[in-house]
Amino acid sequence: GNSVTQMEGPVTLSEEAFLTINCTYTATGYPSLFWYVQYPGEGLQLLLKATKADDKGSNKGFEATYRKETTSFHLEKGSVQVSDSAVYFCALQGGSEKLVFGKGTKLTVNP
Amino acid sequence: DAGVIQSPRHEVTEMGQEVTLRCKPISGHNSLFWYRQTMMRGLELLIYFNNNVPIDDSGMPEDRFSAKMPNASFSTLKIQPSEPRDSAVYFCASTVQEPSNTGELFFGEGSRLTVL
């Protein structure tokens, strides 16, 4: 079945550092890929998405590129801020299947 | 615009008591999902509905859990009797399910349940 594996956390960075959170997936066909973010005390919200190979999703300075050859969708940001501290979830959806989430990676950004 | 509305936000109860969590999805959304989030197990899908009909309840832990969606604007998740291991944050999410759907779920703020 479909599955998502993302890097274990927690991740702690200083403000303005470069961020990468790795995500790889297993799926049949051509799934859509997502990153969701959960700020403290809130529900998840969509951060960015990509629906086909080589697509790049971007939002709020975050980017992720759908790499079919490596089955990956790594999240990156060039310069993190304290306000980016949150839990980040990689997810995929294959066709009409339900959304499958990774376990989440907690990011803490220190001033 | 109103998002997904969940109640209560926090509930503390004693083992053996009945717990009812409520959710109002975004108007016009036809799919509703209940998730449970814990430190140990992460985010787990419990059940989801499409057009008020339960489609997949394979994530419901056991018979103590039940969920209903009597109409398009309301759903409940009930735990009876509750146990300490049910302590978690329960999220409701909704979306428009259609062939072109790209999977964006809209989550409520969650109901934090503590069973003593």
Side-chain angles (χ1 to χ4, degrees), chain A residues 12-26:
Chain A
T12 302
L13 297 173
S14 297
E15 208 164 23
E16 299 184 3
F18 184 85
L19 169 71
T20 299
I21 300 178
N22 290 337
C23 172
T24 57
Y25 68 89
T26 301

Side-chain angles (χ1 to χ4, degrees), chain B residues 6-104:
Chain B
Q6 292 187 244
S7 65
R9 290 294 312 277
H10 302 273
E11 172 134 359
V12 180
T13 190
E14 293 189 345
M15 184 173 63
Q17 296 299 305
E18 177 179 293
V19 173
T20 300
L21 308 178
R22 298 173 178 80
C23 176
K24 177 177 169 56
I26 293 172
S27 178
H29 285 188
N30 63 348
S31 289
L32 183 141
F33 302 75
W34 281 101
Y35 286 88
R36 177 172 69 176
Q37 186 178 39
T38 61
M39 290 291 290
M40 292 297 294
R41 300 171 69 92
L43 196 63
E44 303 172 276
L45 177 64
L46 301 177
I47 185 171
Y48 79 93
F49 296 83
N50 199 35
N51 295 320
N52 313 337
V53 176
I55 302 300
D56 183 352
D57 65 355
S58 58
M60 295 285 263
E62 49 199 90
D63 291 345
R64 297 185 298 107
F65 285 68
S66 63
K68 294 183 179 179
M69 191 164 186
N71 57 62
S73 59
F74 184 66
S75 177
T76 59
L77 178 68
K78 187 173 292 187
I79 308 171
Q80 167 63 17
S82 58
E83 297 183 2
R85 61 192 166 121
D86 302 330
S87 297
V89 181
Y90 291 82
F91 287 102
C92 177
S94 70
T95 190
V96 178
Q97 195 74 33
E98 57 190 23
S100 61
N101 181 36
T102 54
E104 180 172 6

